[in-house]
């Protein structure tokens, strides 16, 4: 037997995009049903992003999801760039008219949004969409008790991440992508951060980064080969590489127990347009960026802000102008973030010689990277460009 129900917006995916969209819509009186194939515990534990742009923080506060973030989030006013034995601070507020960053884990944003209590079906299977080119698209799934559901929607929002079912349900997409010749190995460690601000380090042994999650927990990353296996990286080997790559005279990196480790590939991907008929894509379902520069989560938030405004206008006021503009409105920011993530990734990582034709060509790349790093750490104009992009542009 199939349960047939109705809602205004069917949302797929309980990541930041789906959860915030559901909350924004509820605040405007638009009802929605959200389906997620993982368990609530899994969604609340998954370790990912940690840096929230100024605009993301402002939005979370404005929509009533900022209370714990304001208590527990760590306010940052810039980053360190390290290369060739030098460490430079880039001060965002003075370069951007006061914009700052907040370190507050994505998983905490997800917990805060789930805790509101909007209707979510966790642990669903067989998620599918159909009839997206009609004005009554269907979202179907099997719930965790094995009951089949079909929800008739006005609109479906595909917020189901890079490996979801929404994007493949669309046809004629224009796809652009780049795969980088390295990956990030990330750890969580039970040790107070050894730094006040995030450190991005370019070194001959490869890129490394020191971030954090709380006054007691550090988050660190090192560049590894794209086909590297986590089993090859003992805790000792990881700390040894972090010490070499982040090492700086007069500064100590304190080690501690590693509580989690994983490898993330580095890839950029954009699918356009972000809408077909009554199916709208948002967040990683439509685009991913390499993590350098911390744009993925923030882009997902920007998408759903635009989408919520467009859907409220469509479903409450009966006007389709914002929905029709949705894809173009989002893609301007998507491409700006894609450029910035490419810029940070290319400037900071060590490219394997095999990427180029010869050692001399690899050397050329390395010399360009140092020249670029010297520019952003010595020219106010170049530093301002980095700071504006990193701290993020105002939300639409
Ligand atoms: P997701 O978070 O992927 O959520 C999609 C949801 O859909 C998931 O819960 C998934 O289980 C669900 N789903 C998938 N398929 C189905 C289906 N068939 N049916 C039902 N549900 C389904 N970004 C930043 O901005 N700053 C950072 O500092 C940063 N650091 C990162 C570090 C790492 C190591 C990684 C991996 C990513 C990082 N990112 C960062 C990127 C950021 O985490 C993502 O861009 C963000 O998660 C996108 O949110 P989303 O809601 O679009 O997708
Ligand atoms: C973090 C992740 C990033 O990709 C980044 O550029 C900065 C910080 C983090 O997980 O804390």
């Amino acid at each position: 037997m199939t349960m047939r129900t109705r809602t205004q917006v069917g949302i797929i995916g309980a990541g930041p995009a789906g959860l915030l969209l559901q909350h924004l819509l509820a605040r405007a009186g638009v009802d929605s049903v959200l389906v997620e194939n993982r368990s609530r515990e899994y969604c609340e534990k998954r370790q990912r992003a940690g840096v929230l742009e100024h605009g993301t923080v402002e939005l979370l506060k404005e929509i009533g999801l900022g209370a714990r973030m304001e208590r527990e989030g760590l306010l940052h006013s810039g980053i360190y760039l390290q290369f060739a034995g030098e460490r430079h601070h880039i001060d965002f507020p003075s370069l951007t008219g006061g914009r700052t960053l907040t370190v507050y884990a994505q998983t905490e944003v997800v917990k805060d949004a789930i805790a509101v209590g909007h209707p979510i079906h966790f642990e669903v299977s067989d998620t599918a969409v159909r009839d997206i080119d009609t004005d009554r698209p269907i979202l179907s799934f099997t719930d965790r008790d094995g009951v089949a559901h079909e929800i008739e929607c006005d609109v479906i929002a595909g917020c189901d991440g890079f490996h979801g079912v929404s994007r493949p349900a669309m046809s004629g997409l224009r796809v652009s992508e780049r795969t980088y010749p390295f990956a990030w190995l990330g750890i969580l460690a039970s040790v107070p951060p050894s730094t006040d601000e995030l450190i991005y380090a370019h070194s001959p042994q490869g890129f490394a980064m020191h971030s954090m999650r709380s006054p007691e927990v550090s988050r660190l990353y090192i560049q590894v080969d794209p086909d590297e296996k986590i089993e090859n990286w003992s805790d000792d080997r990881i700390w040894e590489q972090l010490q070499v790559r982040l090492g700086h005279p007069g500064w100590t990196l304190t080690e501690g127990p590693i509580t989690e480790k994983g490898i993330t590939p580095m890839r950029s991907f954009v699918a356009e347009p972000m809408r077909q008929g009554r199916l709208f894509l948002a967040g990683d379902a439509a685009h991913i960026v390499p993590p350098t520069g911390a744009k993925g989560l923030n882009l997902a938030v920007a998408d759903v802000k635009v989408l919520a405004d467009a859907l409220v206008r469509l479903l409450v006021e009966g006007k389709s102008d914002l929905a029709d503009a949705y894809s173009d409105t989002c893609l301007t920011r998507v491409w700006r973030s894609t450029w910035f993530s490419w810029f940070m990734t290319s400037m900071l990582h060590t490219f394997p010689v095999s990427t180029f034709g010869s050692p001399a060509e690899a050397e050329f790349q390395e010399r360009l990277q140092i020249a670029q790093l010297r520019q952003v750490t010595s020219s106010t104009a170049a530093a301002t460009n980095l700071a504006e992009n990193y701290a993020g542009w105002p939300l639409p």
Side-chain angles (χ1 to χ4, degrees):
M1 201 190 77
T2 300
M3 291 261 297
R4 289 200 167 73
T5 47
R6 230 205 80 71
T7 189
Q8 286 178 291
V9 183
I11 303 176
I12 312 176
L19 291 165
L20 293 188
L21 177 65
Q22 184 174 41
H23 187 64
L24 287 163
L25 292 173
R27 281 169 54 85
V30 173
D31 65 78
S32 66
V33 173
L34 193 157
V35 301
E36 163 61 51
N37 59 5
R38 301 288 194 160
S39 67
R40 175 172 179 173
E41 295 67 37
Y42 182 93
C43 292
E44 291 185 341
K45 282 216 178 89
R46 189 167 34 196
Q47 277 304 322
R48 285 195 169 168
V51 179
L52 306 183
E53 288 176 5
H54 197 91
T56 301
V57 168
E58 293 301 306
L59 178 71
L60 291 173
K61 285 194 222 167
E62 188 188 314
I63 64 176
L65 291 178
R68 200 161 65 89
M69 175 189 70
E70 285 191 87
R71 283 197 309 276
E72 298 176 16
L74 306 171
L75 195 67
H76 283 249
S77 60
I79 57 168
Y80 292 111
L81 289 177
Q82 180 172 316
F83 60 97
E86 302 166 27
R87 183 180 286 177
H88 301 263
H89 187 248
I90 310 282
D91 185 77
F92 292 172
S94 64
L95 294 164
T96 63
R99 295 172 86 75
T100 53
L101 303 170
T102 298
V103 171
Y104 187 65
Q106 172 170 332
T107 164
E108 306 304 326
V109 174
V110 163
K111 275 188 219 162
D112 294 344
I114 292 175
V116 177
H118 300 303
I120 305 178
H121 293 268
F122 285 101
E123 295 174 70
V124 305
S125 51
D126 311 323
T127 314
V129 298
R130 65 169 202 267
D131 302 342
I132 59 173
D133 291 315
T134 73
D135 58 7
R136 285 287 175 270
I138 303 284
L139 168 58
S140 61
F141 63 97
T142 304
D143 71 22
R144 72 178 138 203
D145 300 318
V147 178
H149 292 252
E150 283 196 359
I151 309 183
E152 187 189 271
C153 310
D154 292 326
V155 162
I156 296 176
C159 302
D160 45 353
F162 189 62
H163 300 287
V165 295
S166 304
R167 195 178 64 253
M170 294 167 64
S171 52
L173 291 174
R174 171 178 176 186
V175 166
S176 330
E177 68 184 313
R178 168 150 309 171
T179 305
Y180 292 91
F182 25 74
W184 274 18
L185 188 161
I187 62 163
L188 271 184
S190 300
V191 59
S194 302
T195 178
D196 56 341
E197 303 271 37
L198 274 55
I199 306 170
Y200 287 80
H202 171 76
S203 89
Q205 292 78 17
F207 170 76
M209 194 184 64
H210 192 330
S211 180
M212 61 200 70
R213 287 292 177 267
S214 71
E216 297 81 34
V217 176
S218 297
R219 175 83 163 145
L220 297 113
Y221 297 98
I222 48 175
Q223 170 187 350
V224 295
D225 287 342
D227 48 5
E228 195 56 270
K229 298 274 174 294
I230 197 71
E231 304 78 69
N232 297 335
W233 286 83
S234 66
D235 293 5
D236 285 349
R237 185 177 176 205
I238 294 171
W239 281 116
E240 187 251 320
Q241 278 302 307
L242 285 165
Q243 294 287 2
V244 170
R245 299 180 193 191
L246 287 168
H248 187 64
W251 178 79
T252 307
L253 173 63
T254 310
E255 300 182 10
I258 295 179
T259 54
E260 207 174 301
K261 53 182 164 183
I263 292 181
T264 310
M266 306 272 284
R267 186 170 182 191
S268 225
F269 176 100
V270 183
E272 305 174 48
M274 290 168 59
R275 170 196 185 179
Q276 180 179 331
R278 290 277 175 144
L279 174 61
F280 294 75
L281 301 182
D284 278 18
H287 42 72
I288 53 172
V289 289
T292 338
K295 284 288 160 232
L297 163 64
N298 293 294
L299 262 189
V301 172
D303 284 355
V304 295
K305 172 71 174 70
V306 177
L307 184 54
D309 290 347
L311 295 183
V312 170
R313 181 122 163 131
L314 182 70
L315 302 175
V316 178
E317 297 171 35
K319 297 207 170 78
S320 67
D321 54 343
L322 298 184
D324 292 341
Y326 170 70
S327 180
D328 287 343
T329 306
C330 289
L331 282 165
T332 305
R333 189 183 191 98
V334 166
W335 275 106
R336 189 166 173 178
S337 291
T338 299
W339 171 81
F340 181 64
S341 306
W342 164 85
F343 166 76
M344 291 289 280
T345 300
S346 311
M347 178 171 72
L348 287 161
H349 291 73
T350 303
F351 283 81
V353 174
S354 58
T355 316
F356 304 99
S358 68
E361 295 214 15
E363 181 63 14
F364 183 76
Q365 173 73 17
E366 166 65 17
R367 301 306 286 260
L368 286 183
Q369 288 174 286
I370 298 293
Q372 178 75 76
L373 282 159
R374 287 209 192 291
Q375 240 183 87
V376 295
T377 53
S378 61
S379 145
T380 304
T384 303
N385 188 33
L386 187 150
E388 275 179 355
N389 281 286
Y390 198 121
W393 322 285
L395 283 177

